[in-house]
Amino acid sequence: MRPHDILMLDAAGLFCKPGGFHIDPVRPVNRAIVTHGHSDHARPGHGAVLATPETLDIMRLRYGNDFAGSVQAISYGQEIKLGDVSIVLHPAGHVLGSAQIAVTHGGVRIVASGDYKDVCDPTCAPFEVVPCDVFITEATFGLPVFLHGDPASEVGKLLASVALFPERAHLVGAYSLGKTQRVIALLREAGYDAPIYLHGAMDKVTRYYQSRGIALGDLRPVRGMKKADLAGAVTLAPPSATTDLWTRRFPDPVRAFASGWMRVRARARQRGIELPLVISDHADWTGLTRIIAATGAGEIWVTHGQEDALVRWCMTKGLVARPLALVGYGDEDGEGDTVGFSGGESNS
Amino acid sequence: MNRFAELLDRLAYEPGRNNKLRLITAYFRDTPDPDRGYALAALTGALSFKHAKAGLVRDLIAARVDPVLFALSYDYVGDLSETAALMWPTSSLAEGAMDDHHDSSPPPTLTNVVTTLRTLGKAELPAQLARWLDELDETGRWALLKLVTGAMRIGISARLAKTAAAALGGKDVHDVELIWPGLAPPYLDLFAWLEGRGERPVNRIPAPFRPVMLAHAIDDADFARLDAADFIAEWKWDGIRVQAVSGCDEHGNIATRLYSRTGEDITHSFPDLLPSLRREGSSEGRLNDSRKPFGAFRQQTFAIDGELLVVRDGRVQSFNVLQQRLNRKAVTSRLMKEFPIHLRAYDLLEDGDNDLRELPFEDRRRRLVDFIAALDDPRIDLSPRVAFATWGELAAARADPAAAGAGADADAIEGIMLKRCDASYLPGRPKGLWWKWKRDPRIIDAVLMYAQRGHGRRSSYYSDYTFGVWTAGEEGEQLVPVGKAYFGFTDEELVRIDRFVRRNTTESFGPVRHVLHEPDRGLVLEIAFEGLQRSARHKSGVAMRFPRINRLRWDKPPREADRLETLERMLTSEAAKSTGAGA
Ligand SMILES: [Zn+2]
């Protein structure tokens, strides 16, 4: 069995013909296996959705109860069969519930890793290396300049700024699902125990994280707060909100943004960010290359992001590599969570 | 070094002046001598390392990484030092490699870097830089490379850095600027004074720089609120704004200095002007003024605000000509002969130990007229007044300087300067006192042909545009490139052009994208520019000065863009205008 007879590209994305399912399809299909809850991977309107219980919960929060014809929850490590194809989900370390999908058929194993990272994150299960023949990797940060470093020191930068500018509000742009909760957890790990304020759009999903036993401390909605009371406080908001009229409710806000893109200065300046925080939920260059090697795969398929450099690296290591021209994943900012959760705030 | 790097990093993002000040002052407060002094030197541009060039950085990184990965990365990041800092291979890349730190040496301090580089030979530099890069973290590597290659560009003026230092002792920046020329890195005496531990340092520089006064651009709407009778108008000469200062040290030795508008000492680049700035025996009346002691010394003390120009056969040359005199490593006698330098005086700030800056401009101007007359040197003259009674008359003079008295020198005129008669000479850009009114730029419609990614802030956008105009070619009508524009558009327009470039790329050569440019498909750019000249280097035969995008003409089909003949006509009419006026 050749790998591309097991997984191939069609208009909806990656399709497993012998198993009759798509992985993270970008348009409605009969049966979809979804790696994680970010809106560019988890879309509504499929006949059946198979995913981890957390991913299904997150899709429900985002799209309502009838986001798919039927759903099937699969826990990490549990094997299911679709036709002759065996499927096992393994933790991807990206956000709560995120999974790599190991597809085995005719003695060939392909792992579609979705989005992943291989560093410690207290808000989700750690990445698991799954030995395979073909490894499908993302390349969001697939350039050697992307080294995310230690997130604790980035949070240290934020806290130092809060100390230097106690009369200013600190507004941290962060994606609602995953990044927000991770930044909060990192702040708590750094010993910051003051209340942290949240934009309405991230309230629901953050409460969901708390309901799954993830300790995030004292969280409060920013809505209804007096301007003066936000001085010296940390508020998290979706990236788009940190540059619009909504920010006028804050006293002289310091605009921060927690993202792997912040590693490149021009990207941060372009967005008018004053305090870039290099905190990413994707693997950096070191992570990507380390994981590719660790899977033992002889063939690498590179999906969304900076494919060229990663394909080049694979080839210099004697691996067969090809870019998969997948469209529809990751916006310009690569962390593609563009569809919010309801409960956003108006500009007025 | 890492601490200084953190400061630079944070400053590079912080837009607010007051917040920048807070950050720098906090750094000065928390950082011990002599590191903070060298930081002040770096921020005020007082350090330079002549051996470290961009090429060296390129060589260092090229020897360590895959060239293809480097090219892809550099194209993405858009900044050489930053790319090199990010890609620099370090042994402790993997997390948990903390044990390595026992073996490796601690990262260098800013003082280590500055003092080592001062004496380090060129041959030893690459290995030393590589050692430091191994020891520093990413931000440290970035800051080190920016520092040594002299490309800090973090939006900090020397004045802002001095203001931050002054704030450490609750002092005004003027107090620091007054004594600044006598200070040297690492400024131990300055910090001691600011922290109340020492005496105020004395400025022993005999010919100090005075902070320059600058003008605001005037809008049509401003004229309604201004009375023509309150103002004196002069030509705005298109040269280099300078301050020529002379003074005596305590031994009576005369010192003469030429400063740029930012206070940089550029005396060494213009040795041919120096004799003209010596007043020994130049004026009998002054020398005989023996009622005052040290009269001879006193008359050597002066400060002229003016413009450096190249004047050949009594005619002021355009900025293009002046530029050929600049940026030369060696000032040869041939260069000086071919590009004779001239000072055109605008203002007199000091005369014989009298600080004139508090006086109204009218009075300073009167003294300047006498001063220049007494100096009586062909290389130094007075910038003439432009006579006018109404704004209408002034507009006419601006539209045609040649006819309004500038004659053959009109090419070297950028516009009009308006100065309030009663204005004191104030440092910085005070509101409402000085205005500049530039000449109307020339405008043409051109077609976007090629695009390249920008650098720095714009590195992920196609923001450098090559544009062309139509001309008859062998195979019919064709576009010929006439210039490149990098600015003039808003951020929203940049996003739209970038999208257009990405969607309409016909070919890519390295970083350059060929953009669709056919008679009916393509993007028309309205280009404004300051001047035109013939150029053998350009295929089109013409070169533009300061081209910029004035407007995007999404509405206009490329076939309606301008033709090369239009530019050639502009060129001839400009030439005709100047020779005609000169006759
Ligand atoms: Zn994701």
Side-chain angles (χ1 to χ4, degrees):
Chain A
M1 184 67 63
R2 293 172 303 174
H4 57 264
D5 293 328
I6 303 173
L7 279 178
M8 59 211 73
L9 288 181
D10 71 7
L14 261 185
F15 179 51
C16 177
K17 202 168 181 183
F21 63 89
H22 283 81
I23 295 173
D24 291 352
V26 295
R27 44 176 87 166
V29 297
N30 283 337
R31 191 190 282 150
I33 304 185
V34 171
T35 58
H36 67 286
H38 277 147
S39 62
D40 50 340
H41 293 257
R43 296 175 194 251
H46 305 305
V49 170
L50 291 76
T52 61
E54 292 85 356
T55 297
L56 293 174
D57 287 341
I58 289 163
M59 290 180 79
R60 223 167 268 127
L61 284 179
R62 197 190 286 277
Y63 303 120
N65 282 327
D66 48 359
F67 67 90
S70 66
V71 299
Q72 182 180 346
I74 310 174
S75 305
Y76 293 132
Q78 173 195 345
E79 182 179 3
I80 63 155
K81 288 266 186 186
L82 290 171
D84 290 337
V85 178
S86 146
I87 292 142
V88 182
L89 272 49
H90 301 271
H94 175 55
V95 297
L96 184 60
S98 65
Q100 312 172 69
I101 298 163
V103 176
T104 312
H105 183 56
V108 175
R109 180 181 292 159
I110 306 178
V111 170
S113 54
D115 290 340
Y116 66 94
K117 71 171 177 290
D118 60 334
V119 298
C120 167
D121 179 347
T123 67
C124 66
F127 180 89
E128 204 176 288
V129 174
V130 185
C132 54
D133 303 297
V134 178
F135 185 63
I136 307 180
T137 179
E138 58 146 323
T140 305
F141 293 111
L143 278 174
V145 294
F146 288 113
L147 300 178
H148 298 331
D150 180 7
S153 74
E154 298 299 293
V155 164
K157 257 170 41 182
L158 172 61
L159 293 177
S161 180
V162 172
L164 182 62
F165 296 110
E167 80 290 5
R168 304 177 71 187
H170 281 69
L171 201 51
V172 183
Y175 293 97
S176 306
L177 168 59
K179 187 65 63 62
T180 296
Q181 298 77 26
R182 184 164 174 227
V183 169
I184 297 170
L186 285 164
L187 280 164
R188 298 310 185 202
E189 273 180 3
Y192 184 75
D193 54 9
I196 293 173
Y197 296 88
L198 295 181
H199 183 281
M202 42 204 20
D203 182 55
K204 236 198 258 182
V205 65
T206 306
R207 271 190 281 124
Y208 173 70
Y209 265 65
Q210 287 177 300
S211 77
R212 301 292 300 185
I214 295 158
L216 298 174
D218 184 358
L219 304 179
R220 300 181 188 179
V222 73
R223 168 173 289 180
M225 289 294 297
K226 284 205 202 77
K227 191 167 184 172
D229 294 337
L230 291 167
V234 175
T235 302
L236 281 92
S240 57
T242 61
T243 49
D244 73 14
L245 288 176
W246 180 78
T247 63
R248 290 197 188 162
R249 71 184 63 192
F250 295 93
D252 189 15
V254 176
R255 288 180 174 81
F257 186 20
S259 163
W261 297 110
M262 295 298 101
R263 184 44 100 192
V264 173
R265 291 179 167 75
R267 289 294 286 252
R269 279 197 291 270
Q270 224 165 49
R271 303 187 66 125
I273 300 300
E274 290 147 61
L275 190 59
L277 304 173
V278 187
I279 303 176
S280 176
D281 284 337
H282 295 264
D284 66 3
W285 177 259
T286 315
L288 292 168
T289 53
R290 194 178 73 80
I291 295 302
I292 288 172
T295 61
E299 186 167 339
I300 309 299
W301 297 353
V302 185
T303 66
H304 53 291
Q306 310 279 341
E307 299 96 324
D308 298 354
L310 203 53
V311 167
R312 158 84 186 177
W313 179 86
C314 290
M315 295 192 319
T316 62
K317 300 292 164 192
L319 301 170
V320 176
R322 65 180 176 110
L324 289 189
L326 286 183
V327 291
Y329 302 102
D331 59 325
E332 259 289 280
D333 284 307
E335 306 199 19
D337 201 27
T338 47
V339 181
F341 296 86
S342 55
E345 312 210 344
S346 70
N347 280 330
S348 57
Chain B
M1 185 72 208
N2 278 334
R3 204 151 171 202
F4 178 62
E6 277 166 34
L7 173 70
L8 286 190
D9 193 39
R10 183 73 200 268
L11 287 174
Y13 297 111
E14 175 56 61
R17 185 178 182 276
N18 284 333
N19 293 327
K20 283 181 179 166
L21 282 175
R22 291 260 296 277
L23 289 164
I24 306 173
T25 306
Y27 170 85
F28 287 147
R29 188 173 296 122
D30 301 340
T31 309
D33 289 322
D35 258 26
R36 59 179 172 179
Y38 288 116
L40 179 59
L43 293 172
T44 52
L47 299 177
S48 78
F49 309 105
K50 55 181 185 297
H51 298 318
K53 294 276 157 11
L56 170 62
V57 178
R58 202 184 282 270
D59 293 346
L60 282 173
I61 192 70
R64 285 166 175 79
V65 300
D66 176 356
V68 175
L69 291 180
F70 174 75
L72 287 167
S73 299
Y74 184 30
D75 183 43
Y76 185 88
V77 175
D79 180 287
L80 179 67
S81 295
E82 188 177 347
T83 311
L86 287 165
M87 287 187 78
W88 191 261
T90 56
S91 54
S92 54
L93 255 191
E95 293 200 28
M98 295 301 283
D99 328 334
D100 289 1
H101 285 274
H102 294 297
D103 314 328
S104 60
S105 25
T109 63
L110 181 58
T111 306
N112 294 151
V113 171
V114 174
T115 52
T116 307
L117 286 182
R118 218 176 245 165
T119 53
L120 197 68
K122 194 175 180 179
E124 300 145 279
L125 182 61
Q128 178 62 68
L129 261 188
R131 259 195 305 281
W132 284 333
L133 290 168
D134 285 340
E135 292 160 5
L136 289 162
D137 64 9
E138 186 278 328
T139 309
R141 292 193 292 271
W142 167 77
L144 175 71
L145 293 177
K146 288 283 169 191
L147 177 71
V148 301
T149 57
M152 291 219 298
R153 273 187 240 111
I154 46 164
I156 302 294
S157 64
R159 187 177 166 82
L160 193 77
K162 290 172 200 165
T163 309
L168 195 61
K171 300 277 194 283
D172 192 87
V173 62
H174 292 295
D175 299 331
V176 173
E177 276 182 330
L178 274 176
I179 55 171
W180 185 259
L183 304 176
Y187 308 111
L188 300 180
D189 47 350
L190 172 69
F191 282 107
W193 170 59
L194 290 170
E195 289 179 338
R197 293 179 287 107
E199 288 295 302
R200 179 171 186 266
V202 182
N203 176 11
R204 287 185 219 285
I205 294 289
F209 170 69
R210 280 119 180 121
V212 169
M213 180 163 177
L214 300 165
H216 284 271
I218 199 162
D219 277 339
D220 289 353
D222 292 319
F223 289 105
R225 293 181 288 107
L226 302 176
D227 185 345
D230 292 338
F231 288 88
I232 291 172
E234 293 168 60
W235 300 120
K236 181 167 170 33
W237 297 97
D238 197 3
I240 302 170
R241 178 90 179 271
V242 290
Q243 203 174 94
V245 185
S246 174
C248 290
D249 67 14
E250 61 260 50
H251 311 295
N253 298 317
I254 296 165
T256 310
R257 296 275 178 277
L258 211 54
Y259 295 102
S260 74
R261 59 192 274 173
T262 54
E264 193 192 342
D265 188 340
I266 53 170
T267 316
H268 56 279
S269 300
F270 303 96
D272 39 340
L273 190 64
L274 293 190
S276 306
L277 292 166
R278 298 266 158 97
R279 285 205 296 180
E280 287 124 315
S282 64
S283 157
E284 286 297 308
R286 280 165 191 270
L287 265 187
N288 292 339
D289 188 3
S290 51
R291 283 162 298 172
K292 294 176 190 163
F294 309 116
F297 293 160
R298 187 156 299 192
Q299 61 113 345
Q300 283 304 334
T301 304
F302 63 84
I304 301 172
D305 179 351
E307 194 93 10
L308 277 190
L309 301 164
V310 166
V311 175
R312 280 183 195 148
D313 305 325
R315 187 176 158 186
V316 182
Q317 303 295 304
S318 73
F319 190 78
N320 293 317
V321 177
L322 175 59
Q323 216 163 19
Q324 299 172 57
R325 160 98 201 225
L326 310 173
N327 310 323
R328 295 293 180 93
K329 283 207 183 82
V331 183
T332 60
S333 55
R334 183 160 163 254
L335 192 72
M336 291 190 285
K337 204 171 161 206
E338 210 175 320
F339 302 98
I341 208 70
H342 187 94
L343 177 67
R344 189 149 281 186
Y346 292 138
D347 212 328
L348 191 62
L349 313 183
E350 175 118 3
D351 184 12
D353 273 358
N354 293 315
D355 188 343
L356 308 184
R357 286 174 292 179
E358 294 289 304
L359 296 180
F361 176 58
E362 229 167 4
D363 296 355
R364 295 200 309 275
R365 170 105 194 160
R366 210 170 292 130
R367 294 185 67 148
L368 178 69
V369 172
D370 293 344
F371 183 93
I372 299 295
L375 201 57
D376 189 26
D377 188 290
R379 280 183 183 269
I380 301 178
D381 70 359
L382 188 71
S383 178
R385 282 179 70 155
V386 179
F388 73 105
T390 64
W391 294 132
E393 283 176 37
L394 192 64
R398 166 174 165 270
D400 191 358
D409 292 344
D411 264 3
I413 286 172
E414 252 193 309
I416 298 249
M417 284 293 302
L418 273 173
K419 300 177 177 175
R420 269 196 80 96
C421 307
D422 58 1
S424 305
Y425 192 94
L426 300 173
R429 216 181 283 275
K431 269 245 159 340
L433 302 181
W434 284 15
W435 301 93
K436 55 186 173 193
W437 193 18
K438 291 210 180 181
R439 294 174 81 172
D440 275 335
R442 287 74 154 181
I443 285 175
I444 57 151
D445 285 333
V447 183
L448 173 61
M449 297 179 71
Y450 315 111
Q452 212 170 330
R453 287 219 197 166
H455 284 269
R457 190 170 79 87
R458 292 180 179 156
S459 64
S460 73
Y461 288 98
Y462 286 90
S463 63
D464 295 5
Y465 311 115
T466 301
F467 50 84
V469 293
W470 295 104
T471 188
E474 281 168 19
E475 292 157 31
E477 287 292 287
Q478 63 172 54
L479 284 165
V480 53
V482 289
K484 265 185 155 204
Y486 313 90
F487 52 91
F489 36 83
T490 64
D491 286 352
E492 290 94 274
E493 285 172 334
L494 173 60
V495 170
R496 286 190 69 193
I497 311 176
D498 178 70
R499 200 178 305 143
F500 179 85
V501 168
R502 289 171 194 271
R503 289 189 183 158
N504 293 283
T505 300
T506 52
E507 269 179 288
S508 295
F509 285 105
V512 180
R513 289 198 178 204
H514 286 217
V515 185
L516 188 71
H517 48 268
E518 291 169 1
D520 289 304
R521 294 159 70 204
L523 175 57
V524 176
L525 308 170
E526 185 179 284
I527 304 287
F529 54 98
E530 298 297 328
L532 268 184
Q533 61 179 135
R534 296 212 179 274
S535 162
R537 285 191 303 121
H538 293 73
K539 198 174 151 197
S540 62
V542 294
M544 286 177 179
R545 220 175 132 231
F546 294 136
R548 59 196 178 272
I549 293 176
N550 209 39
R551 251 192 318 162
L552 302 177
R553 299 298 305 262
W554 300 101
D555 54 311
K556 205 165 197 179
R559 68 166 73 251
E560 289 176 23
D562 276 307
R563 306 184 53 81
L564 187 57
E565 292 87 287
T566 312
L567 284 176
E568 275 160 359
R569 252 197 320 275
M570 285 179 170
L571 205 56
T572 346
S573 85
E574 270 177 33
K577 219 180 344 180
S578 42
T579 44

